């Protein structure tokens, strides 16, 4: 019988390995930056174009490579960092697999220029899909420059799978920040499509954090320092009042590597116990140094998960250290534990003058008079005449009366009885249950509306209309609001600027990572603006992948969620009526923008069956 098994040619094996190492441009960025750091660079420049799809280049002033090493570096399992299996347990470098360059060269056009300190001239190598296309001598300064062009040029399926430039760039910036944060003494620059995004000089960890996340970060930071036999912890946690809705300012580094650890994250959250508002996440920038023998980073080439030998001790130490810092810097005692959140003014009442509650009574009103009962037919709320009740109540005949709840004995009742019943019912136009549902009667029974979902639907349709059809009205601010966001966030806002303008926002951007809000949508109170923008940002940051939603729809959804009345908020009669009314003026009153049922009708006979 013939033999079937063949050894795969190297370039095929490399392509397969590349699938694991290189998922997207950001993976290449990570590998190249780490190589530069392993080569003891003091200055590292990252240049990308079109989200890294056409170019990712890293230029360093590290050790450089000899001509032989330059050639060897692209071979699989070629590494200068370990030589025996034991070295795996004593790693002091980022790389050790010797896979990255071989994988990258298998799926892109690579151009490398490199020179060591002692050599007169350097080496210029070009490799395309694992094939060396040229090797020349070149005059170049000490260090290495690797340019990776046309990523996935020979794997169209992978190339098509890449997201928009904006999304890929966001991933690249994430990787860049993770590496730059934990190596503050190394100078880093990032250029995208020719413009400078970051220019970080050698500095302290604290300053590096501030230069990456914005200058206002400085006042938020509380130092954490602790050293035990198992771990040395150093870094900062953010004061609880600055906890954000978005995740994204949580950084753990273990032996100078960015890691993700839900378990250790929990230790920090536990230290903040009782100090955080719900739905907010504490920020932290913590470097853990442990014995390389006690940590396993060998799980997956691109994953950020690691395994510690003594996780429980680490957890306890971390929690205690964070708690100690919060206490030491008098962060904890300023909090008012007796504060009742229910007493907080909902934001859209904050800037209003307090008003004496008024009760308007029509002294002439006589419930027993037929004439006075005529007011039931048109309902006036405030100055606004409530249109649309007719659709809400779905009167199939012309009988425009709320007293038409059909009961068997209805027509036979005496005048007195009928009128009294009607009075109770109409006087009780609507009713709020558990500060969550609005109850009202309709012809066939009882209408129960979920207030939060109803409001989301109303706002969603309004915002969507503004973004897509007619521009929202802008209210100019006398004193423009200055808000500080990181540079990365700024990129996100400017990418959405057209939509935000349609909504009525007028936003100016500064290169310092600040935005100036000069105008706001007329129907959003000024005091809510920061929260609204934070929420928009938080959900973009979470939404790392395009999810097929058009941006307008996504923005309208996000805003409707942020600005809707919440469950637990008390609504007065006027607000209840307006809400129900606006709901039924919507195109799609049944479902919330998040596909949840907005109202139910409990049929009169269902109620009857209960008796
Ligand atoms: P690893 O980093 O796991 O060793 P790589 O494929 O990333 O594997 O790199 C292979 C080898 O090439 C490294 O071990 C190192 O000796 C060399 N190398 C890669 N990049 C650089 C650089 N920027 N400067 C100097 N040497 C480098
Ligand atoms: Mg490497």
């Amino acid at each position: 019988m013939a033999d079937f098994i063949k050894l795969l040619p190297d370039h095929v094996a490399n392509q397969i390995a590349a699938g694991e190492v290189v998922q997207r441009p950001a993976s290449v960025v990570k590998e190249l930056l780490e190589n530069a750091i392993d080569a003891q660079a003091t200055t590292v420049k990252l240049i990308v174009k079109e989200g890294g799809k056409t170019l990712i280049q890293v230029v360093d002033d590290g050790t450089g490579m000899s001509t032989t090493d330059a050639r060897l570096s692209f071979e699989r399992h070629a590494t200068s960092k370990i030589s025996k299996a034991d070295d795996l347990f004593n790693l002091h470098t980022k790389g050790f697999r010797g896979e990255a360059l071989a994988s990258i060269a298998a799926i892109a056009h690579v151009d490398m220029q490199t020179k060591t300190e002692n050599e007169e001239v350097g080496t210029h190598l070009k490799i395309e899909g694992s094939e060396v296309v040229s090797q020349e001598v070149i005059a170049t300064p000490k260090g290495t420059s690797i340019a990776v062009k046309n990523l996935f040029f020979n794997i169209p399926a992978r190339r098509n799978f890449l997201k928009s430039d904006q999304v890929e760039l966001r991933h690249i910036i994430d990787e860049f920040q993770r590496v730059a944060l934990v190596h503050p003494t190394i100078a880093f620059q990032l250029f995208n499509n020719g413009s400078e995004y970051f220019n970080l000089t050698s500095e302290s960890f604290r300053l590096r954090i501030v230069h990456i996340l914005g200058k206002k970060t400085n006042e938020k930071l509380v130092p954490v320092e602790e050293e035990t036999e198992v771990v040395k912890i150093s870094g900062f946690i953010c004061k609880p009042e600055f906890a954000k809705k978005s995740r994204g300012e949580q950084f753990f580094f273990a032996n100078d590597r960015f890691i993700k650890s839900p378990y250790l994250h929990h230790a920090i959250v536990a230290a903040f116990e009782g100090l955080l508002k719900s739905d907010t996440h504490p920020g932290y920038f913590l470097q853990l140094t442990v014995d390389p023998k006690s940590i396993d980073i060998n799980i997956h080439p691109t994953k950020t998960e690691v395994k510690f030998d003594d996780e429980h001790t680490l957890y306890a130490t971390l929690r205690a250290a964070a708690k100690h810092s919060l206490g030491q810097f008098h962060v904890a005692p300023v909090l008012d534990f007796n504060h009742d959140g229910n007493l907080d003014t909902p934001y859209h009442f904050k800037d209003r003058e307090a008003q004496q509650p008024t009760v308007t009574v029509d002294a002439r009103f006589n419930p027993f008079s037929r004439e006075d009962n005529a007011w039931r037919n048109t309902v006036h709320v405030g100055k606004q005449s409530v249109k649309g009740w007719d659709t809400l109540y779905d009167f199939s005949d012309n009988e425009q009366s709320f007293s038409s709840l059909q009961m068997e004995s209805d027509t036979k009742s005496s005048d007195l009885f009928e009128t009294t019943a009607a009075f109770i019912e109409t006087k009780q136009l609507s009713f709020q249950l558990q500060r969550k549902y609005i109850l009202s009667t309709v012809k066939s029974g009882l209408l129960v509306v979920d207030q939060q979902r109803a409001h989301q639907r109303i706002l969603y349709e309004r915002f969507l209309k503004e973004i897509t059809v007619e521009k929202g009205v802008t209210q100019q601010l006398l004193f423009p609001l200055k808000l500080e966001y990181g540079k990365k966030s700024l990129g996100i806002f400017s990418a959405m600027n057209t939509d935000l303008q349609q909504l009525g926002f007028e936003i100016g951007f500064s290169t310092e990572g600040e935005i100036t809000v000069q105008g706001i949508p007329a129907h959003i109170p000024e005091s809510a603006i920061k929260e609204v923008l934070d929420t928009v940002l938080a959900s973009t940051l979470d939404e790392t992948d395009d999810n097929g939603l058009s941006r307008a729809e996504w923005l309208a959804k996000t805003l409707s969620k942020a600005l809707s009345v919440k469950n637990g908020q008390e609504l007065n009669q006027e607000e209840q009526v307006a809400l129900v009314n606006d709901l039924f003026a919507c195109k799609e009153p049944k479902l919330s923008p998040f596909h949840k049922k907005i109202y139910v009708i409990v049929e009169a006979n269902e109620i009857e069956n209960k008796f």
Side-chain angles (χ1 to χ4, degrees):
M1 203 176 122
D3 298 330
F4 293 115
I5 298 181
K6 290 190 204 78
L7 273 179
L8 287 176
D10 264 0
H11 72 274
V12 179
N14 282 340
Q15 262 195 25
I16 295 170
E20 263 195 70
V21 181
V22 184
Q23 275 140 12
R24 55 182 359 143
S27 334
V28 175
V29 166
K30 174 171 185 271
E31 295 295 338
L32 297 185
L33 290 178
E34 290 189 346
N35 278 348
I37 291 164
D38 283 346
Q40 278 126 42
T42 57
T43 316
V44 179
K45 191 153 117 183
L46 169 64
I47 302 160
V48 298
K49 284 196 179 139
E50 280 152 299
K53 290 175 194 166
T54 46
L55 176 73
I56 301 161
Q57 184 175 15
V58 170
V59 185
D60 71 52
D61 62 353
T63 55
M65 282 175 268
S66 68
T67 308
T68 322
D69 279 354
R71 279 296 283 263
L72 264 180
S73 69
F74 289 100
E75 295 295 325
R76 204 140 56 97
H77 308 306
T79 178
S80 56
K81 298 169 193 172
I82 58 171
S83 54
K84 50 186 190 302
D86 262 4
D87 294 347
L88 272 179
F89 304 103
N90 197 16
L91 280 175
H92 294 282
T93 52
K94 316 246 164 248
F96 55 88
R97 287 186 184 77
E99 272 182 328
L101 289 187
S103 302
I104 293 166
I107 48 154
H109 297 166
V110 177
D111 190 312
M112 176 201 267
Q113 305 187 7
T114 184
K115 188 180 96 62
T116 61
E117 175 107 69
N118 302 326
E119 279 171 324
E120 288 286 302
V121 284
T123 310
H124 185 185
L125 257 183
K126 284 190 184 173
I127 300 184
E128 296 182 357
S130 297
E131 301 258 326
V132 178
V133 287
S134 79
Q135 177 179 336
E136 283 160 15
V137 172
I138 192 174
T140 176
K142 174 202 161 213
T144 307
S145 154
I146 301 185
V148 176
K149 297 174 192 163
N150 309 323
L151 193 67
F152 297 130
F153 78 98
N154 50 1
I155 318 180
R158 295 294 298 273
R159 196 171 170 86
N160 295 338
F161 189 69
L162 293 177
K163 307 287 181 198
S164 66
D165 292 1
Q166 194 64 33
V167 171
E168 295 301 342
L169 178 66
R170 218 185 290 155
H171 286 282
I172 289 174
I173 294 177
D174 277 342
E175 287 298 350
F176 175 85
Q177 291 187 341
R178 290 168 181 178
V179 175
L181 268 174
V182 76
H183 296 284
T185 54
I186 301 178
F188 283 94
Q189 278 177 294
L190 167 58
F191 292 88
N192 172 53
N193 291 343
S195 53
E196 182 184 276
Y197 271 50
F198 289 94
N199 188 355
L200 306 161
T201 51
S202 174
E203 56 199 347
S204 67
F205 187 40
R206 185 176 193 126
L207 280 178
R208 183 53 60 93
I209 297 171
V210 170
H211 287 138
I212 287 186
L213 290 140
K215 60 175 187 279
K216 289 221 175 105
T217 318
N218 199 23
E219 60 180 284
K220 305 179 188 172
L221 302 177
V222 178
V224 182
E225 299 290 340
E226 182 65 82
E227 189 160 0
T228 68
E229 277 178 11
V230 177
V231 60
K232 177 174 181 286
I233 301 168
S234 97
F236 303 89
I237 49 180
C238 293
K239 294 176 189 165
E241 64 264 37
F242 296 109
K244 285 194 174 170
K245 283 197 167 178
S246 56
R247 286 171 178 260
E249 293 194 357
Q250 284 94 25
F251 294 88
F252 278 126
F253 303 96
N255 294 1
D256 290 349
R257 251 170 229 279
F258 173 80
I259 59 157
K260 279 188 185 146
S261 168
Y263 183 64
L264 296 183
H265 171 78
H266 190 268
I268 301 292
V269 174
F272 275 88
E273 199 190 339
L275 302 178
L276 294 173
K277 278 195 249 161
S278 63
D279 277 348
T280 60
H281 309 282
Y284 51 84
F285 308 86
L286 293 167
Q287 306 192 25
L288 315 175
T289 316
V290 295
D291 183 342
K293 286 191 197 69
S294 72
I295 181 173
D296 184 1
I297 38 181
N298 202 0
I299 303 176
H300 190 278
T302 57
K303 290 273 162 63
T304 42
E305 282 93 25
V306 295
K307 239 180 88 48
F308 296 99
D309 280 355
D310 200 352
E311 266 195 335
H312 295 304
T313 313
L314 217 57
Y315 182 100
T317 317
L318 199 57
R319 196 180 93 150
K323 238 192 156 102
H324 178 72
S325 293
L326 287 172
Q328 200 182 7
F329 287 85
H330 307 294
V331 177
V334 298
L335 279 132
D336 175 8
F337 289 100
N338 297 322
H339 177 83
D340 182 356
N342 288 334
L343 299 178
D344 281 353
T345 323
Y347 56 70
H348 54 269
F349 290 112
K350 253 187 202 150
D351 293 338
R352 289 196 200 165
E353 294 252 318
Q355 279 171 0
Q356 280 264 325
T358 51
V359 180
T360 336
V361 180
D362 181 354
R364 290 184 310 107
F365 181 71
N366 173 4
F368 299 103
S369 131
R370 283 234 156 245
E371 199 184 285
D372 273 351
N373 270 321
W375 66 273
R376 284 189 246 123
N377 298 340
T378 43
V379 183
H380 289 272
V381 179
K383 275 181 265 146
Q384 173 195 17
S385 160
V386 177
K387 290 170 283 161
W389 279 100
D390 44 343
T391 47
L392 163 60
Y393 288 88
D394 190 25
F395 294 114
S396 40
D397 47 16
N398 285 334
E399 188 193 11
Q400 295 240 331
S401 155
F402 292 147
S403 60
S404 55
L405 190 71
Q406 278 173 347
M407 289 187 227
E408 276 168 48
S409 58
D410 207 10
T411 45
K412 302 283 171 285
S413 354
S414 71
D415 268 3
L416 178 65
F417 183 79
E418 190 193 355
T419 329
T420 315
F423 168 64
I424 292 164
E425 197 192 323
T426 42
K427 200 62 179 166
Q428 206 72 40
L429 263 180
S430 66
F431 174 80
Q432 196 183 21
L433 180 68
Q434 295 176 336
R435 294 188 182 165
K436 183 170 183 201
Y437 302 107
I438 311 223
L439 308 190
S440 192
T441 49
V442 286
K443 187 174 176 187
S444 60
L446 181 67
L447 172 78
V448 185
V449 179
D450 181 309
Q451 63 185 46
Q452 185 171 342
R453 292 177 188 176
H455 201 205
Q456 281 173 356
R457 164 56 61 186
I458 296 162
L459 293 178
Y460 170 75
E461 292 197 4
R462 181 192 292 172
F463 289 134
L464 197 61
K465 190 166 152 203
E466 284 178 357
I467 301 171
T468 52
V469 199
E470 55 189 50
K471 187 177 175 312
V473 180
T474 301
Q475 175 198 339
Q476 294 294 335
L477 293 180
L478 205 54
F479 303 103
L481 280 174
K482 278 200 187 323
L483 302 172
E484 163 132 356
Y485 291 97
K487 284 186 187 167
K488 177 174 146 199
S489 317
L490 233 57
I492 295 168
F493 279 134
S494 58
M496 284 194 303
N497 203 19
T498 336
D499 295 335
L500 291 171
Q501 273 170 357
Q502 275 293 114
L503 285 170
F505 279 101
E506 275 176 22
I507 298 181
F509 301 90
S510 86
T511 46
E512 280 304 294
E514 224 177 38
I515 66 170
T516 315
V517 185
Q518 285 124 358
I520 60 174
H523 55 83
I524 302 184
E526 188 180 335
S527 53
I529 293 298
K530 179 157 173 16
E531 180 171 351
V532 168
L533 293 177
D534 283 354
T535 313
V536 168
L537 197 62
S539 30
T540 2
L541 291 174
D542 286 345
E543 182 241 10
T544 40
D545 296 306
D546 299 327
N547 55 8
L549 264 190
S550 80
R551 193 140 70 197
E553 229 179 285
W554 169 83
L555 191 61
K557 265 191 183 182
T558 308
L559 290 178
S560 73
K561 194 168 179 185
L563 286 165
S564 62
V565 297
K566 302 291 180 296
N567 289 333
Q569 191 167 323
E570 201 167 316
L571 299 179
N572 65 26
Q573 186 83 72
E574 188 179 326
E575 290 165 329
Q576 293 171 26
V577 171
L579 187 82
V580 175
N581 191 45
D582 287 350
L583 173 68
F584 285 92
C586 283
K587 285 201 193 101
E588 177 52 271
K590 284 205 177 81
L591 291 178
S592 83
F594 306 93
H595 305 287
K596 298 271 171 52
K597 204 185 263 187
I598 295 178
Y599 66 88
V600 289
I601 291 175
V602 185
E603 301 285 331
N605 56 19
E606 279 178 59
I607 300 173
E608 268 163 46
N609 288 341
K610 292 206 182 294
F611 290 96

